[in-house]
């Protein structure tokens, strides 16, 4: 009986030793990666922080490094975000409210809901190519803030619709009836 348990105990000890070595190798790899990341971040901070001045934020890009800035980049990004918000939020919230509160529950509504859910899973490159074809070539908006804002608006629209519908569903009927009063 003791002879039968010895190989089993040896196997268990060997597996525990292999597990320990594997855990140790994983922790050492993680430590190495974190130290490397920390070294890169510290180097970036040491070389980059002294170069960040007020002029860096208010100057346009330049081929002269001491005059270069990011004004056009952050103003453009802000304009694209505002365009996206102005296009997507009202349309998304209105669509979500309509689909949840007013739309009849029939096959057409189910088809629309299915397509909205499927749109949330489409890769962003597909939206970019669609925007190139529709907004740039068909409507001739060109490479503009409006094109970028509308494209991003279409990209986030399904998320806004689904979030609005889930928020409306979370409201208890008691509170809805109280608001009618």
């Amino acid at each position: 009986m003791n002879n039968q348990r010895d190989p089993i105990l040896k196997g268990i000890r060997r597996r525990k030793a292999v597990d320990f070595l594997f855990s140790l190798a994983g922790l050492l790899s993680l430590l190495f990666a974190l130290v490397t990341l920390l070294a890169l971040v510290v180097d970036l901070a040491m070389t980059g922080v002294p170069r960040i001045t007020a002029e860096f934020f208010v100057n346009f890009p330049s081929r002269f490094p001491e005059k270069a800035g990011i004004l056009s980049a952050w103003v453009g990004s802000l304009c694209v975000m505002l365009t996206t918000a102005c296009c997507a939020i009202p349309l998304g919230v209105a669509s979500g409210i309509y689909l949840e509160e007013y739309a009849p529950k029939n096959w057409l509504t189910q088809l629309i809901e299915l397509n909205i859910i499927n749109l949330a899973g489409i890769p962003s490159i597909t939206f970019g190519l669609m925007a190139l074809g529709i907004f740039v070539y068909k409507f001739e908006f060109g490479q503009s803030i409006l094109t970028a804002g509308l494209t991003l608006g279409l990209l986030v629209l399904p998320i806004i619709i689904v979030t609005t519908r889930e928020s409306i569903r979370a409201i208890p009927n008691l509170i809805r009836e109280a608001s009618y009063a």
Side-chain angles (χ1 to χ4, degrees):
M1 183 96 168
N2 204 8
N3 290 338
Q4 290 177 348
R5 287 180 36 198
D6 284 341
I8 294 173
L9 291 175
K10 282 183 181 180
I12 290 173
R13 278 191 289 256
R14 187 179 54 78
R15 280 191 224 105
K16 283 187 178 184
V18 169
D19 284 347
F20 174 75
L21 290 174
F22 186 75
S23 298
L24 185 64
L27 286 174
L28 288 175
S29 299
L30 177 66
L31 182 65
F32 177 74
L34 288 176
V35 167
T36 304
L37 177 65
L38 182 66
L40 289 172
V41 169
V42 167
D43 181 54
L44 178 69
M46 286 174 43
T47 57
V49 169
R51 296 181 182 166
I52 297 179
T53 61
E55 290 82 25
F56 179 69
F57 293 103
V58 295
N59 287 345
F60 287 99
S62 172
R63 57 186 170 152
F64 304 108
E66 62 276 356
K67 294 182 181 179
I70 59 168
L71 178 66
S72 59
W74 69 264
V75 169
S77 296
L78 184 66
C79 290
V80 168
M81 286 190 300
L82 287 173
T83 305
T84 301
C86 289
C87 295
I89 293 174
L91 184 62
V93 170
S95 299
I97 291 171
Y98 174 76
L99 286 173
E100 192 60 36
E101 294 292 325
Y102 301 111
K105 305 298 182 209
N106 56 21
W107 66 271
L108 181 62
T109 308
Q110 290 176 348
L111 182 67
I112 292 170
E113 291 171 0
L114 180 65
N115 283 321
I116 289 170
I117 292 170
N118 286 336
L119 277 176
I122 292 177
S124 58
I125 187 69
T126 307
F127 279 99
L129 293 172
M130 181 221 42
L132 179 67
I134 294 176
F135 298 138
V136 175
Y137 294 138
K138 181 74 174 167
F139 295 145
E140 297 179 359
F141 291 159
Q143 297 177 2
S144 64
I145 290 173
L146 181 61
T147 300
L150 290 174
T151 304
L152 288 175
L154 289 175
L155 186 67
V156 299
L157 192 62
I159 299 166
I160 295 171
I161 293 171
V162 170
T163 304
T164 302
R165 295 185 68 201
E166 292 300 323
S167 299
I168 291 172
R169 285 184 193 145
I171 299 172
N173 282 334
L174 189 64
I175 293 177
R176 283 184 200 206
E177 292 170 1
S179 70
Y180 293 143

